[in-house]
């Protein structure tokens, strides 16, 4: 079993080395994140800020978290 495991690890290491060598000889080409990453990040931040700005100012949510004075005990029914 040990030789089989060692051969499997050797093949894995050889595959990783082969991929690294193949990528080292290619010219660098910008991918999607290099081209549009900052634009997507800014667009997401804008949408996030706009939506939460609306929720905080216009949705009519009462933000008082204390239940004091809001909860009144009910009479017991017998």
């Amino acid at each position: 079993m040990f030789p089989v495991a060692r051969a499997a690890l050797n093949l894995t290491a050889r595959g990783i080395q082969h991929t690294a060598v193949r990528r080292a000889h290619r010219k660098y080409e910008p991918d999607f994140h290099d081209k549009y990453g900052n634009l997507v990040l800014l667009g997401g931040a804008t949408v996030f800020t706009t939506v939460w700005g609306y929720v905080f100012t216009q949705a009519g949510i009462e933000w008082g978290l204390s239940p004091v004075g809001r909860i009144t005990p009910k009479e017991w029914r017998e």
Side-chain angles (χ1 to χ4, degrees), residues 27-68:
K27 289 186 177 180
Y28 177 75
E29 298 173 4
D31 61 356
F32 178 84
H33 298 289
D34 293 331
K35 290 181 182 178
Y36 306 110
N38 291 334
L39 188 63
V40 170
L41 179 66
L42 289 175
T46 303
V47 170
F48 177 85
T49 303
T50 303
V51 168
W52 280 108
Y54 173 79
V55 168
F56 286 139
T57 59
Q58 302 294 323
I61 299 173
E62 294 184 17
W63 294 102
L65 300 177
S66 174
V68 175

Side-chain angles (χ1 to χ4, degrees), residues 1-14:
M1 182 83 176
F2 182 74
V4 173
R6 187 171 57 185
L9 287 175
N10 191 17
L11 287 175
T12 303
R14 190 179 310 150

